[in-house]
mmCIF file of all heavy atoms in Angstrom:
data_model
loop_
_atom_site.group_PDB
_atom_site.id
_atom_site.type_symbol
_atom_site.label_atom_id
_atom_site.label_comp_id
_atom_site.label_asym_id
_atom_site.label_seq_id
_atom_site.Cartn_x
_atom_site.Cartn_y
_atom_site.Cartn_z
ATOM 1 N N PHE A 36 -296.381 -36.686 88.588
ATOM 2 C CA PHE A 36 -296.173 -36.334 87.189
ATOM 3 C C PHE A 36 -297.515 -36.039 86.519
ATOM 4 O O PHE A 36 -298.563 -36.465 86.991
ATOM 5 C CB PHE A 36 -295.490 -37.496 86.455
ATOM 6 C CG PHE A 36 -294.098 -37.794 86.945
ATOM 7 C CD1 PHE A 36 -293.878 -38.750 87.927
ATOM 8 C CD2 PHE A 36 -292.999 -37.126 86.418
ATOM 9 C CE1 PHE A 36 -292.603 -39.029 88.383
ATOM 10 C CE2 PHE A 36 -291.727 -37.397 86.860
ATOM 11 C CZ PHE A 36 -291.514 -38.346 87.852
ATOM 12 N N PHE A 76 -292.556 -48.666 90.860
ATOM 13 C CA PHE A 76 -292.242 -47.349 90.294
ATOM 14 C C PHE A 76 -292.197 -47.403 88.775
ATOM 15 O O PHE A 76 -292.803 -46.575 88.086
ATOM 16 C CB PHE A 76 -290.909 -46.855 90.847
ATOM 17 C CG PHE A 76 -290.497 -45.497 90.332
ATOM 18 C CD1 PHE A 76 -290.938 -44.349 90.952
ATOM 19 C CD2 PHE A 76 -289.679 -45.378 89.226
ATOM 20 C CE1 PHE A 76 -290.573 -43.091 90.476
ATOM 21 C CE2 PHE A 76 -289.301 -44.138 88.731
ATOM 22 C CZ PHE A 76 -289.745 -42.993 89.364
ATOM 23 N N VAL A 80 -294.893 -45.420 86.356
ATOM 24 C CA VAL A 80 -294.432 -44.295 85.545
ATOM 25 C C VAL A 80 -294.547 -44.601 84.051
ATOM 26 O O VAL A 80 -294.752 -43.704 83.238
ATOM 27 C CB VAL A 80 -292.985 -43.925 85.931
ATOM 28 C CG1 VAL A 80 -292.404 -42.900 84.972
ATOM 29 C CG2 VAL A 80 -292.952 -43.366 87.350
ATOM 30 N N TRP A 134 -280.228 -42.621 94.928
ATOM 31 C CA TRP A 134 -281.347 -42.547 93.975
ATOM 32 C C TRP A 134 -280.872 -41.932 92.659
ATOM 33 O O TRP A 134 -281.272 -42.372 91.580
ATOM 34 C CB TRP A 134 -282.472 -41.711 94.576
ATOM 35 C CG TRP A 134 -283.679 -41.610 93.703
ATOM 36 C CD1 TRP A 134 -283.855 -40.760 92.638
ATOM 37 C CD2 TRP A 134 -284.880 -42.394 93.782
ATOM 38 N NE1 TRP A 134 -285.087 -40.953 92.069
ATOM 39 C CE2 TRP A 134 -285.741 -41.950 92.748
ATOM 40 C CE3 TRP A 134 -285.317 -43.407 94.638
ATOM 41 C CZ2 TRP A 134 -287.009 -42.490 92.544
ATOM 42 C CZ3 TRP A 134 -286.577 -43.950 94.430
ATOM 43 C CH2 TRP A 134 -287.410 -43.494 93.404
ATOM 44 N N LEU A 135 -280.018 -40.909 92.750
ATOM 45 C CA LEU A 135 -279.544 -40.267 91.527
ATOM 46 C C LEU A 135 -278.712 -41.228 90.685
ATOM 47 O O LEU A 135 -278.732 -41.159 89.449
ATOM 48 C CB LEU A 135 -278.718 -39.027 91.870
ATOM 49 C CG LEU A 135 -278.621 -37.993 90.739
ATOM 50 C CD1 LEU A 135 -279.979 -37.414 90.425
ATOM 51 C CD2 LEU A 135 -277.646 -36.880 91.105
ATOM 52 N N ILE A 137 -279.347 -44.352 90.389
ATOM 53 C CA ILE A 137 -280.357 -45.140 89.675
ATOM 54 C C ILE A 137 -280.856 -44.361 88.463
ATOM 55 O O ILE A 137 -280.959 -44.899 87.355
ATOM 56 C CB ILE A 137 -281.537 -45.485 90.608
ATOM 57 C CG1 ILE A 137 -281.069 -46.348 91.776
ATOM 58 C CG2 ILE A 137 -282.645 -46.204 89.838
ATOM 59 C CD1 ILE A 137 -282.131 -46.550 92.844
ATOM 60 N N GLU A 138 -281.173 -43.069 88.666
ATOM 61 C CA GLU A 138 -281.663 -42.259 87.551
ATOM 62 C C GLU A 138 -280.620 -42.167 86.442
ATOM 63 O O GLU A 138 -280.958 -42.183 85.249
ATOM 64 C CB GLU A 138 -282.041 -40.864 88.040
ATOM 65 C CG GLU A 138 -283.251 -40.858 88.945
ATOM 66 C CD GLU A 138 -283.892 -39.496 89.111
ATOM 67 O OE1 GLU A 138 -283.176 -38.490 88.922
ATOM 68 O OE2 GLU A 138 -285.098 -39.436 89.421
ATOM 69 N N LEU A 139 -279.361 -42.090 86.830
ATOM 70 C CA LEU A 139 -278.296 -42.004 85.830
ATOM 71 C C LEU A 139 -278.211 -43.280 85.001
ATOM 72 O O LEU A 139 -278.122 -43.238 83.769
ATOM 73 C CB LEU A 139 -276.955 -41.734 86.520
ATOM 74 C CG LEU A 139 -275.739 -41.616 85.604
ATOM 75 C CD1 LEU A 139 -275.872 -40.396 84.702
ATOM 76 C CD2 LEU A 139 -274.457 -41.530 86.420
ATOM 77 N N ARG A 141 -280.506 -45.697 84.513
ATOM 78 C CA ARG A 141 -281.671 -45.975 83.672
ATOM 79 C C ARG A 141 -281.904 -44.895 82.623
ATOM 80 O O ARG A 141 -282.779 -45.041 81.765
ATOM 81 C CB ARG A 141 -282.924 -46.191 84.527
ATOM 82 C CG ARG A 141 -283.472 -44.996 85.241
ATOM 83 C CD ARG A 141 -284.658 -45.407 86.113
ATOM 84 N NE ARG A 141 -285.314 -44.266 86.738
ATOM 85 C CZ ARG A 141 -286.278 -43.561 86.168
ATOM 86 N NH1 ARG A 141 -286.706 -43.884 84.969
ATOM 87 N NH2 ARG A 141 -286.830 -42.538 86.800
ATOM 88 N N SER A 142 -281.106 -43.814 82.664
ATOM 89 C CA SER A 142 -281.183 -42.804 81.616
ATOM 90 C C SER A 142 -280.510 -43.256 80.330
ATOM 91 O O SER A 142 -280.641 -42.581 79.300
ATOM 92 C CB SER A 142 -280.544 -41.486 82.090
ATOM 93 O OG SER A 142 -281.314 -40.893 83.110
ATOM 94 N N GLY A 148 -284.223 -44.679 78.522
ATOM 95 C CA GLY A 148 -283.982 -43.246 78.567
ATOM 96 C C GLY A 148 -284.468 -42.601 79.855
ATOM 97 O O GLY A 148 -285.117 -43.229 80.692
ATOM 98 N N PRO A 149 -284.180 -41.305 80.003
ATOM 99 C CA PRO A 149 -284.470 -40.611 81.273
ATOM 100 C C PRO A 149 -285.919 -40.156 81.386
ATOM 101 O O PRO A 149 -286.214 -38.984 81.522
ATOM 102 C CB PRO A 149 -283.506 -39.412 81.222
ATOM 103 C CG PRO A 149 -283.348 -39.128 79.768
ATOM 104 C CD PRO A 149 -283.426 -40.460 79.066
ATOM 105 N N TRP A 150 -286.834 -41.096 81.321
ATOM 106 C CA TRP A 150 -288.256 -40.782 81.481
ATOM 107 C C TRP A 150 -288.634 -41.021 82.939
ATOM 108 O O TRP A 150 -288.297 -42.046 83.513
ATOM 109 C CB TRP A 150 -289.101 -41.661 80.576
ATOM 110 C CG TRP A 150 -290.524 -41.202 80.455
ATOM 111 C CD1 TRP A 150 -291.527 -41.403 81.351
ATOM 112 C CD2 TRP A 150 -291.099 -40.450 79.377
ATOM 113 N NE1 TRP A 150 -292.691 -40.833 80.906
ATOM 114 C CE2 TRP A 150 -292.454 -40.239 79.681
ATOM 115 C CE3 TRP A 150 -290.591 -39.948 78.181
ATOM 116 C CZ2 TRP A 150 -293.315 -39.547 78.836
ATOM 117 C CZ3 TRP A 150 -291.451 -39.252 77.342
ATOM 118 C CH2 TRP A 150 -292.795 -39.056 77.679
ATOM 119 N N GLY A 151 -289.332 -40.092 83.537
ATOM 120 C CA GLY A 151 -289.761 -40.271 84.913
ATOM 121 C C GLY A 151 -288.689 -39.942 85.934
ATOM 122 O O GLY A 151 -288.734 -40.451 87.055
ATOM 123 N N LEU A 152 -287.712 -39.089 85.577
ATOM 124 C CA LEU A 152 -286.785 -38.588 86.590
ATOM 125 C C LEU A 152 -287.591 -37.773 87.594
ATOM 126 O O LEU A 152 -288.415 -36.935 87.211
ATOM 127 C CB LEU A 152 -285.698 -37.723 85.957
ATOM 128 C CG LEU A 152 -284.859 -38.359 84.850
ATOM 129 C CD1 LEU A 152 -283.752 -37.402 84.410
ATOM 130 C CD2 LEU A 152 -284.272 -39.684 85.288
ATOM 131 N N LEU A 153 -287.362 -38.002 88.876
ATOM 132 C CA LEU A 153 -288.239 -37.419 89.893
ATOM 133 C C LEU A 153 -288.249 -35.893 89.811
ATOM 134 O O LEU A 153 -289.279 -35.252 90.035
ATOM 135 C CB LEU A 153 -287.814 -37.887 91.282
ATOM 136 C CG LEU A 153 -288.898 -37.824 92.347
ATOM 137 C CD1 LEU A 153 -290.126 -38.618 91.939
ATOM 138 C CD2 LEU A 153 -288.370 -38.335 93.678
ATOM 139 N N GLY A 154 -287.112 -35.296 89.474
ATOM 140 C CA GLY A 154 -287.064 -33.840 89.363
ATOM 141 C C GLY A 154 -287.959 -33.298 88.277
ATOM 142 O O GLY A 154 -288.406 -32.138 88.338
ATOM 143 N N ALA A 155 -288.260 -34.107 87.250
ATOM 144 C CA ALA A 155 -289.101 -33.646 86.142
ATOM 145 C C ALA A 155 -290.539 -33.400 86.582
ATOM 146 O O ALA A 155 -291.288 -32.718 85.876
ATOM 147 C CB ALA A 155 -289.073 -34.656 85.001
ATOM 148 N N SER A 156 -290.931 -33.916 87.733
ATOM 149 C CA SER A 156 -292.290 -33.683 88.230
ATOM 150 C C SER A 156 -292.501 -32.221 88.622
ATOM 151 O O SER A 156 -293.640 -31.776 88.792
ATOM 152 C CB SER A 156 -292.581 -34.584 89.433
ATOM 153 O OG SER A 156 -291.752 -34.235 90.533
ATOM 154 N N GLN A 157 -291.406 -31.451 88.740
ATOM 155 C CA GLN A 157 -291.490 -30.062 89.195
ATOM 156 C C GLN A 157 -291.456 -29.066 88.036
ATOM 157 O O GLN A 157 -291.075 -27.909 88.200
ATOM 158 C CB GLN A 157 -290.335 -29.778 90.163
ATOM 159 C CG GLN A 157 -290.256 -30.748 91.324
ATOM 160 C CD GLN A 157 -291.537 -30.771 92.130
ATOM 161 O OE1 GLN A 157 -291.899 -29.770 92.752
ATOM 162 N NE2 GLN A 157 -292.240 -31.904 92.128
ATOM 163 N N VAL A 172 -282.040 -31.068 85.856
ATOM 164 C CA VAL A 172 -283.063 -31.875 86.511
ATOM 165 C C VAL A 172 -282.449 -32.731 87.615
ATOM 166 O O VAL A 172 -283.123 -33.102 88.583
ATOM 167 C CB VAL A 172 -283.789 -32.748 85.468
ATOM 168 C CG1 VAL A 172 -282.857 -33.798 84.884
ATOM 169 C CG2 VAL A 172 -285.040 -33.393 86.053
ATOM 170 N N TRP A 173 -281.143 -33.032 87.503
ATOM 171 C CA TRP A 173 -280.463 -33.853 88.508
ATOM 172 C C TRP A 173 -280.482 -33.192 89.882
ATOM 173 O O TRP A 173 -280.730 -33.852 90.902
ATOM 174 C CB TRP A 173 -279.020 -34.103 88.087
ATOM 175 C CG TRP A 173 -278.847 -34.548 86.675
ATOM 176 C CD1 TRP A 173 -278.268 -33.844 85.653
ATOM 177 C CD2 TRP A 173 -279.241 -35.809 86.102
ATOM 178 N NE1 TRP A 173 -278.282 -34.572 84.491
ATOM 179 C CE2 TRP A 173 -278.876 -35.776 84.737
ATOM 180 C CE3 TRP A 173 -279.880 -36.928 86.612
ATOM 181 C CZ2 TRP A 173 -279.115 -36.848 83.871
ATOM 182 C CZ3 TRP A 173 -280.128 -37.997 85.753
ATOM 183 C CH2 TRP A 173 -279.744 -37.954 84.415
ATOM 184 N N SER A 176 -283.914 -33.412 91.417
ATOM 185 C CA SER A 176 -284.144 -34.749 91.991
ATOM 186 C C SER A 176 -283.474 -34.886 93.347
ATOM 187 O O SER A 176 -284.064 -35.433 94.289
ATOM 188 C CB SER A 176 -283.615 -35.829 91.034
ATOM 189 O OG SER A 176 -284.452 -35.992 89.912
ATOM 190 N N ALA A 391 -286.078 -35.706 76.246
ATOM 191 C CA ALA A 391 -285.922 -36.179 77.627
ATOM 192 C C ALA A 391 -284.466 -36.196 78.059
ATOM 193 O O ALA A 391 -284.188 -36.288 79.261
ATOM 194 C CB ALA A 391 -286.515 -37.579 77.774
ATOM 195 N N PHE A 392 -283.529 -36.103 77.110
ATOM 196 C CA PHE A 392 -282.100 -36.214 77.422
ATOM 197 C C PHE A 392 -281.515 -34.825 77.640
ATOM 198 O O PHE A 392 -281.357 -34.055 76.679
ATOM 199 C CB PHE A 392 -281.362 -36.917 76.286
ATOM 200 C CG PHE A 392 -281.713 -38.364 76.121
ATOM 201 C CD1 PHE A 392 -282.814 -38.745 75.374
ATOM 202 C CD2 PHE A 392 -280.944 -39.356 76.724
ATOM 203 C CE1 PHE A 392 -283.143 -40.077 75.217
ATOM 204 C CE2 PHE A 392 -281.268 -40.695 76.583
ATOM 205 C CZ PHE A 392 -282.371 -41.061 75.830
ATOM 206 N N PRO A 393 -281.133 -34.470 78.873
ATOM 207 C CA PRO A 393 -280.587 -33.127 79.122
ATOM 208 C C PRO A 393 -279.335 -32.822 78.310
ATOM 209 O O PRO A 393 -279.130 -31.685 77.886
ATOM 210 C CB PRO A 393 -280.285 -33.143 80.624
ATOM 211 C CG PRO A 393 -281.157 -34.221 81.193
ATOM 212 C CD PRO A 393 -281.267 -35.257 80.124
ATOM 213 N N LEU A 428 -291.635 -31.915 79.531
ATOM 214 C CA LEU A 428 -290.174 -31.953 79.528
ATOM 215 C C LEU A 428 -289.578 -30.702 78.888
ATOM 216 O O LEU A 428 -288.450 -30.320 79.194
ATOM 217 C CB LEU A 428 -289.688 -33.199 78.784
ATOM 218 C CG LEU A 428 -290.049 -34.539 79.423
ATOM 219 C CD1 LEU A 428 -289.618 -35.694 78.518
ATOM 220 C CD2 LEU A 428 -289.410 -34.674 80.794
ATOM 221 N N ARG A 432 -286.063 -28.463 79.896
ATOM 222 C CA ARG A 432 -284.966 -28.188 78.963
ATOM 223 C C ARG A 432 -284.782 -26.682 78.764
ATOM 224 O O ARG A 432 -283.655 -26.200 78.642
ATOM 225 C CB ARG A 432 -285.233 -28.855 77.619
ATOM 226 C CG ARG A 432 -285.437 -30.368 77.666
ATOM 227 C CD ARG A 432 -284.188 -31.143 78.059
ATOM 228 N NE ARG A 432 -284.025 -31.282 79.478
ATOM 229 C CZ ARG A 432 -284.596 -32.219 80.226
ATOM 230 N NH1 ARG A 432 -285.377 -33.111 79.649
ATOM 231 N NH2 ARG A 432 -284.351 -32.278 81.533
ATOM 232 N N GLU A 435 -283.129 -25.286 82.017
ATOM 233 C CA GLU A 435 -281.741 -25.738 82.148
ATOM 234 C C GLU A 435 -280.791 -24.911 81.299
ATOM 235 O O GLU A 435 -279.660 -24.623 81.707
ATOM 236 C CB GLU A 435 -281.629 -27.207 81.742
ATOM 237 C CG GLU A 435 -282.205 -28.184 82.745
ATOM 238 C CD GLU A 435 -282.270 -29.607 82.200
ATOM 239 O OE1 GLU A 435 -282.169 -29.787 80.962
ATOM 240 O OE2 GLU A 435 -282.426 -30.538 83.012
#
Side-chain angles (χ1 to χ4, degrees):
F36 295 93
F76 180 86
V80 172
W134 182 279
L135 202 64
I137 298 171
E138 292 197 336
L139 180 65
R141 69 184 185 87
S142 292
W150 193 281
L152 304 185
L153 203 56
S156 66
Q157 306 302 295
V172 67
W173 312 112
S176 286
F392 292 85
L428 295 175
R432 303 293 87 84
E435 287 171 343

